Structure formats: structure tokens, C-alpha cells
Amino acid sequence: MPMSEHDNYSDGWQLEKSGPEAYEQYLVPEMFAPWADKLLAAGKLQEGDRVLDVACGTGIVARRASSKVGERGSVVGIDLNKTMLTVARATSSQLQHPIEWRQGDATDLPFSEESFDVVFCQQALQFIQKPGSALREMRRVLASGGRMAISVWRPLQFNPAYEVMADALETHVDEEAATMMRSPFPEWDISHLRTLIRDADFRDVSLTIEIGTMRYPSVEEFLRREAASSPLAEPLEALNPDIRDALIEDLEEALDAYTDDHGIVFPMEAFVAVARR
Ligand SMILES: C[S@@+](CC[C@H](N)C(=O)[O-])C[C@H]1O[C@@H](n2cnc3c(N)ncnc32)[C@H](O)[C@@H]1O
């Protein structure tokens, strides 16, 4: 993997229409919420911290952080995508401590220097065209000694169900759909990510490989929920039913080793990186 900033294959994983609601409904509880808890623990969040959640999406990290920092702390979530932020606002409206939601670009954060004690970024750095610029911005807005905690999926071979899904999409849909499914899993190894973070002038950089599990009640639900929650919703909806059945059959065969009495279960691996300003 070259050390230069990589191309943005998927245009920032932008979701339209009902995508953000589906993302919040299907992917957040089972996938992103448990990972948010790992990230909060890695960032050693404390009561009273001022927190920024960069590329917050529908806001799971910010919401989890809000209950921890309490009324003496504060939480801001920022994302490029307006409709993700609409869901973030709706989902957090009943929280005891309000969260500020902002629309903006991670590479040009609209905050002054040293405004936050902790900056989080969960599963988004790989979608940002210039990840190094985003990291430099995260450092700029951190107070001296402040902590950054980010997570990024490991490459596809460590996330086997998505490798299988991408291959099946390539066979039955098209190259574009396969590329989209591969886009959350950058070809970054541990030293590439470490270099990106160090080059942004962070210190005490520490990377951990975390392994989680994901469950779906069936292969069909895996396809349906992933499609609804991703930019693939439209191309998959438009698919001829015979092709869709063949796609599911191929997926069932390929995921047979991950099938039990309750559906499918598979490992998901990510890097969790922490560093200080
Ligand atoms: C897979 S989602 C992760 C969202 C959230 N962090 C979570 O854990 O659910 C990736 C998010 O990155 C956002 N994003 C992509 N490029 C961005 C940029 N340059 N600045 C801010 N947000 C960006 C997308 O809009 C999307 O909400």
C-alpha cells in the first residue's frame, strides 16, 4: 500500500433517501454500537470531557459519549451528510444532555484550536479523500494532551463475509456494486495507519486489532439489510428476481461455514488507534 493518501472509491459512503434510517435501524444496534463502546473505552472518556465525533453519521459514538461526559462535559457531532444528521438529531432528541450536530467536512473542521479533550472518528477515515488532512484537523482542535481514538476496518480478507458479498455482487450485479461493498475495508496495514497518524504529528500512537462478531438471521437478511443501509439500495432493488435468487444461493453456499441454527455469524476485524496531541 503506497503511503500517499488513497482514492475515495465510494464518494464518502453517501446515503440518500431512506438509507440513513436503515443504517440506524439495521447496522447501528448490531454493528456500530458495540464498536462505539470499544472506541469510548480506548479513548478513556471521562466525566466533564469536551468531545468531538468526526464523521458522526447517525451519531452513535456521540450518543454513547453524551451519557458518559454528563452535564459538565459537551458533545459535538459533525458529518458531511445532511440526512445522516437529520437521523442523528431525531435519535438524540430525548437525551438528558443535548448534543450539538454540525454539518461540515472533516478536512476543514469549523472549530478553533484546542476546543476538545477527546476526538473520535469511527469507521470513516477510509471514506475521506484526504485522511491525512482529516487527522491533522483532528489534532488541531484537540487540547494539548488531548486524546484521539479512531477505528477503521481491516482489509477484506479479515472481514470474510464482506469479501464473499463483494465477489457475489461482482458476479451477479456489476463491478460498481462490488467496489462499493469493498470500500469500507481499505488495504491499510497496521504500519500504514500508524504512519498516517504519526505524520499528522500525534504522539503516543497505539494501535490494537479488535475482533468483533456480527450476526444476521439469514443470508437473505444480510443482503437485504446491508443493501438498505448502503448506497447499493437502488441497484439491488432493481435486480431481476432470478438474478437476486442466484446471488442469494451463491452467498448461502459461500457462507455455509458461518451458518448455524440461528442464521449466520462471522468475525469482523478493525484497527482501533489511540494517540495524543
Ligand atoms: C460508515 S459511516 C460511519 C458513521 C459513524 N461514525 C458511525 O460509526 O456510525 C461514514 C460517515 O463518514 C461521513 N463522511 C465521509 N466523508 C466525510 C468528510 N470528508 N467529512 C465528514 N464526514 C464524512 C459520511 O457522510 C458517513 O456518515
Side-chain angles (χ1 to χ4, degrees):
M1 178 78 201
M3 288 296 146
S4 60
E5 292 181 341
H6 79 301
D7 293 337
N8 186 18
Y9 334 95
S10 67
D11 203 17
W13 198 256
Q14 292 303 298
L15 301 183
E16 302 300 335
K17 297 177 185 157
S18 63
E21 282 94 359
Y23 180 94
E24 177 62 32
Q25 185 183 345
Y26 298 136
L27 293 190
V28 168
E30 304 281 341
M31 184 188 293
F32 290 104
W35 282 96
D37 291 336
K38 289 186 210 284
L39 200 64
L40 260 49
K44 297 198 169 30
L45 197 61
Q46 287 163 15
E47 205 195 331
D49 278 338
R50 298 165 296 165
V51 175
L52 176 64
D53 179 9
V54 173
C56 61
T58 57
I60 183 62
V61 173
R63 292 201 300 272
R64 290 289 225 257
S66 153
S67 63
K68 295 221 171 214
V69 300
E71 61 183 347
R72 289 196 304 115
S74 60
V75 181
V76 180
I78 186 163
D79 199 281
L80 262 187
N81 189 312
K82 248 188 185 166
T83 47
M84 289 294 247
L85 289 168
T86 302
V87 175
R89 270 191 199 97
T91 318
S92 61
S93 61
Q94 305 297 320
L95 288 184
Q96 199 181 351
H97 309 296
I99 297 170
E100 183 185 342
W101 301 107
R102 299 278 294 264
Q103 190 182 10
D105 193 327
T107 60
D108 184 19
L109 293 172
F111 309 109
S112 52
E113 287 199 12
E114 310 207 12
S115 311
F116 299 97
D117 303 303
V118 188
V119 172
F120 293 112
C121 182
Q122 170 161 276
Q123 298 303 344
L125 199 66
Q126 62 269 51
F127 298 115
I128 296 172
Q129 288 203 6
K130 294 184 172 172
S133 305
L135 286 165
R136 278 188 287 279
E137 276 293 88
M138 291 184 216
R139 183 183 177 280
R140 182 183 64 78
V141 302
L142 266 182
S144 174
R147 287 99 67 203
M148 177 190 73
I150 64 172
S151 59
V152 178
W153 298 125
R154 295 188 75 206
L156 263 184
Q157 67 264 36
F158 303 103
N159 289 283
Y162 290 89
E163 188 170 33
V164 161
M165 173 79 90
D167 290 349
L169 290 173
E170 191 165 332
T171 306
H172 296 285
V173 185
D174 57 26
E175 183 64 41
E176 200 183 336
T179 301
M180 184 68 71
M181 190 49 71
R182 292 181 182 124
S183 67
F185 307 96
E187 284 297 316
W188 294 354
D189 61 17
I190 197 163
S191 60
H192 178 72
L193 187 54
R194 195 190 311 283
T195 302
L196 269 178
I197 298 169
R198 281 199 179 141
D199 284 353
D201 274 347
F202 279 99
R203 62 186 173 92
D204 300 341
V205 181
S206 167
L207 284 109
T208 305
I209 293 172
E210 291 277 358
I211 306 178
T213 53
M214 186 68 190
R215 260 199 183 278
Y216 282 99
S218 65
V219 164
E220 197 166 350
E221 274 302 290
F222 177 35
L223 178 65
R224 194 180 74 80
R225 293 182 194 183
E226 282 291 336
S229 313
S230 79
L232 290 173
E234 273 184 41
L236 286 185
E237 221 165 84
L239 216 56
N240 167 316
D242 290 342
I243 298 180
R244 198 175 151 278
D245 289 348
L247 167 59
I248 291 172
E249 213 170 288
D250 270 9
L251 275 174
E252 280 173 344
E253 202 179 312
L255 291 173
D256 185 52
Y258 287 117
T259 303
D260 64 12
D261 293 346
H262 313 282
I264 55 169
V265 60
F266 48 83
M268 291 198 74
E269 295 194 20
F271 294 117
V272 173
V274 291
R276 276 182 188 279
R277 175 173 178 163

